[in-house]
Amino acid sequence: MRHADDVLVVTSCLSVFVCGRTLAQTAEELVNKNIQAKGGVEKIKSAKTRLTVGRSRALADAELQSQLSNR
């Protein structure tokens, strides 16, 4: 019975490891997927305007909002 439990535990761990490896993506794959989601490299390079919006929180819950636009 002890051997069967050990085999079950090892099999479960291996299946989690194998499934995790097949679902994992490299950084390069993630970057390429993000570029394609934005329409490709050409579309990104053709942008003439960039808008950056941010928010930060400081001590005593003071909140700072900023907006930067490059044309």
Side-chain angles (χ1 to χ4, degrees), residues 4-70:
D5 290 340
D6 291 343
V7 170
L8 181 62
V9 169
V10 170
T11 305
S12 297
C13 290
L14 285 175
S15 66
V16 167
F17 176 74
V18 170
C19 289
R21 292 290 293 163
T22 58
L23 295 177
Q25 293 180 325
T26 65
E28 186 175 348
E29 290 171 332
L30 290 173
V31 169
N32 289 334
K33 188 175 181 181
N34 185 279
I35 289 171
Q36 292 307 313
K38 293 179 179 179
V41 175
E42 293 79 23
K43 186 171 181 185
I44 293 171
K45 286 184 177 182
S46 70
K48 301 210 185 313
T49 303
R50 180 179 66 193
L51 176 65
T52 304
V53 178
R55 221 165 58 177
S56 62
R57 188 170 296 234
L59 298 174
D61 289 330
E63 191 171 296
L64 174 67
Q65 294 185 359
S66 61
Q67 182 171 333
L68 174 65
S69 177
N70 295 336

